[in-house]
Amino acid sequence: MIPTGTGHAPCHHGEILQGVFLDPGGRRCAALVTLPMAGPGSQARFVRRPGTAPDALTVAPADRTKAAHAALLAVEECARRTGLPPCGGQLRLAGDIPVGLGMGSSTSDVIATVRAVAASYGLSLAPETVARLAVRAELACDPLMLDGRPVLFAQREGRVLEVLGPALPPLVVVGCALGGGAPVDTLGLPVPEPSDADIRDFERLRALLRRAVATGDARLLGEVATASARHGQQALLHPEFDALTAVARRVGAAGVQIAHSGAVAGVLFDPAAPGLRHRLRSCLRALDAHGIPATRTFTTFTTSKELLNGPAHRGGDRPAGPDTPRRPARLPAL
């Protein structure tokens, strides 16, 4: 029997908070907190070919170079753990994550690949190991290998600086795309050196987010996300930023979040807010009036269909997580 493994990884909907923070040793460290999004993801299938050279690797689609690098690294890791010689193989990827919007498409490919390679060796690698391999494969990665808990994650080092709590406050998110959905060249963005005042501000937002998670305060989380998006706007310069924040204020949203390395954005709502269905519909109309295309309304605890057609229910709902069965997401082509 040919040794074969499969792997899956979710995506996210951009960042709630991103900046430069102090690690436990007092060292400055770039880090982020992502907004989980159930549904879209990457699937990988790896067929191991014993007896072939490690670089005898074929990848489909052929342009997934980061996933190919991840496969080589994962084979090396798994061969060492099992005592088997490294070998080549065939990697096939599939998924439905829009590319270039800041939803973690490349990290999702990489993590799914690492999991598929490990499965072909009969292994299940710890999240810390997957993170280490992902950073080596693409220089920086999102925390999609974790269990969905809100964490402050050092994306260039693949390590958790802080677990903020068990789950984010329940949220309803009206997703949209800025800049017409055009991909953002992350590597082409300026990277200004943060000042001491910037560090203090990021640490203040970190403390507020910690409190929002601890108390389940969606409105406080929205304030943190909006402030973080405003920081990011200094580099991203989205022309729709003022319109987006004005829409959020007008419809009584908790705030906005914007991917710091892409064009995806979201208007955040507290599901317990009165008149939620009316607020959501007003938000969609306002976004359309400003020429900002809406993508998908989703939540971290139930289905958007229930929210749009009936009252929201908090009790007993399970927080979103990468292993929760979900219906496939349908994001329109952007």
Side-chain angles (χ1 to χ4, degrees):
M1 181 180 295
I2 299 175
T4 302
T6 59
H8 173 267
C11 72
H12 60 78
H13 199 263
E15 286 70 41
I16 296 171
L17 174 62
Q18 180 165 342
V20 177
F21 305 85
L22 301 178
D23 71 4
R27 183 173 62 89
R28 292 185 176 190
C29 189
L32 50 78
V33 180
T34 57
L35 176 62
M37 179 181 181
S42 297
Q43 298 82 39
R45 183 174 184 270
F46 184 73
V47 180
R48 189 156 51 88
R49 303 293 186 188
T52 62
D55 58 357
L57 176 70
T58 60
V59 182
D63 63 347
R64 307 295 173 87
T65 55
K66 293 178 180 178
H69 189 194
L72 292 172
L73 295 171
V75 164
E76 179 184 333
E77 178 76 20
C78 294
R80 180 183 61 79
R81 288 172 179 250
T82 59
L84 297 172
C87 65
Q90 181 184 60
L91 173 66
R92 183 169 293 276
L93 291 158
D96 51 1
I97 306 174
V99 176
L101 294 186
M103 298 176 68
S105 59
S106 61
T107 294
S108 188
D109 279 351
V110 164
I111 293 172
T113 295
V114 171
R115 288 173 170 169
V117 171
S120 77
Y121 280 88
L123 299 175
S124 178
L125 300 178
E128 295 80 8
T129 301
V130 177
R132 173 171 55 82
L133 295 175
V135 169
R136 289 180 62 193
E138 57 171 347
L139 301 182
C141 71
D142 300 306
L144 300 176
M145 72 294 297
L146 302 175
D147 59 4
R149 291 178 299 169
V151 299
L152 183 64
F153 185 77
Q155 70 270 25
R156 297 173 189 167
E157 302 175 21
R159 65 187 178 107
V160 174
L161 297 187
E162 180 182 355
V163 177
L164 298 167
L168 291 174
L171 294 169
V172 183
V173 184
V174 176
C176 58
L178 306 181
V184 172
D185 178 12
T186 308
L187 297 179
L189 294 176
V191 184
E193 182 67 24
S195 66
D196 290 343
D198 290 330
I199 301 297
R200 287 193 297 271
D201 198 31
F202 288 133
E203 286 293 339
R204 180 183 65 85
L205 294 176
R206 173 185 186 176
L208 290 176
L209 183 55
R210 186 189 301 122
R211 188 200 309 168
V213 172
T215 60
D217 190 334
R219 188 156 291 279
L220 181 56
L221 182 147
E223 292 176 8
V224 171
T226 303
S228 180
R230 202 173 296 281
H231 270 289
Q233 175 68 1
Q234 297 173 20
L236 294 171
L237 301 176
H238 288 300
E240 308 97 329
F241 182 81
D242 289 340
L244 184 67
T245 53
V247 167
R249 288 193 300 271
R250 191 180 317 138
V251 300
V256 302
Q257 58 88 213
I258 297 176
H260 291 246
S261 60
V264 72
V267 184
L268 309 177
F269 291 86
D270 182 346
L276 179 62
R277 284 180 289 164
H278 173 72
R279 294 174 191 268
L280 295 176
R281 293 190 175 105
S282 296
C283 180
L284 290 169
R285 287 194 297 268
L287 290 175
D288 183 63
H290 284 284
I292 302 174
T295 53
R296 181 192 184 201
T297 298
F298 67 97
T299 79
T300 59
F301 64 98
T302 186
T303 67
S304 57
K305 182 177 180 181
E306 291 169 353
L307 281 162
L308 293 170
N309 297 296
H313 299 283
R314 285 193 185 187
D317 291 313
R318 179 181 175 186
D323 298 322
T324 308
R326 302 284 179 172
R327 297 174 183 172
R330 289 176 172 82
L331 276 76
L334 296 174

